[in-house]
Amino acid sequence: MENEEQYMRQAIGLAQQAVANGDHPFGALLVRRGVVVLTAVNSVHTDHDITRHAELNLVSQAARQFSPQFLAECTLVTSTEPCAMCAGAIYWSGISHIIFGCSAAALGAIAGGDFLIPCAEIFARGSRPVTVLGPMLEEVGTAVHQQYWPHLR
């Protein structure tokens, strides 16, 4: 896929938008054949639902709008490596490529937390391949988290 860094910067911009909305700093977009077809932000606080991660919001919307064949040709670009819940949703949707910015390990070092499993480990357990690229522009991606999480401690 061309313009990977441009898409990553857009995903990080969506993470900043999530913060402006009062939510956690995560953003994601879905790209097919060089066209952004969907975007989503984290809405955990605004929706009062802990499952409303940016990737899950995106996958839920995509699964309702597009066929499995369409999704198989898509790349999900996300500001931060998908958690186990989101990785499962991505896998079951049929999306075949993932690009992430901030790694789960870097997020854990900034925000704390546990259950930080690299998404490639989760995808490796499936019967169909999912290509994972990342971290990409990790310094830019972690900056959003460094600004957000310290003020909550």
Side-chain angles (χ1 to χ4, degrees), residues 20-128:
N21 295 345
D23 288 295
H24 297 149
F26 301 92
L29 52 100
L30 193 65
V31 180
R32 181 175 179 259
R33 298 182 181 167
V35 176
V36 175
V37 295
L38 284 178
T39 64
V41 297
N42 180 289
S43 59
V44 165
H45 293 306
T46 54
D47 286 343
H48 307 287
D49 181 346
I50 59 169
T51 68
R52 297 291 84 206
H53 294 190
E55 300 90 344
L56 192 54
N57 287 339
L58 186 87
V59 169
S60 294
Q61 186 178 358
R64 289 189 303 269
Q65 280 189 270
F66 304 119
S67 71
Q69 295 80 15
F70 183 98
L71 293 176
E73 298 177 0
C74 290
T75 299
L76 190 150
V77 181
T78 181
S79 61
T80 305
E81 186 170 7
C83 71
M85 173 183 70
C86 292
I90 292 163
Y91 179 84
W92 291 115
S93 76
I95 294 169
S96 58
H97 303 282
I98 309 298
I99 302 173
F100 67 86
C102 177
S103 67
L107 174 62
I110 296 166
D114 54 10
F115 205 55
L116 301 171
I117 304 167
C119 67
E121 287 183 27
I122 295 167
F123 295 131
R125 304 254 179 179
S127 62
R128 77 171 173 80

Side-chain angles (χ1 to χ4, degrees), residues 142-153:
T142 57
V144 177
H145 293 293
Q146 290 168 334
Q147 293 166 0
Y148 180 80
W149 296 105
H151 83 276
L152 297 179
R153 290 187 181 166

Side-chain angles (χ1 to χ4, degrees), residues 121-140:
E121 287 183 27
I122 295 167
F123 295 131
R125 304 254 179 179
S127 62
R128 77 171 173 80
V130 178
T131 304
V132 177
L133 176 62
M136 175 183 283
L137 299 177
E138 189 165 33
E139 287 183 20
V140 180

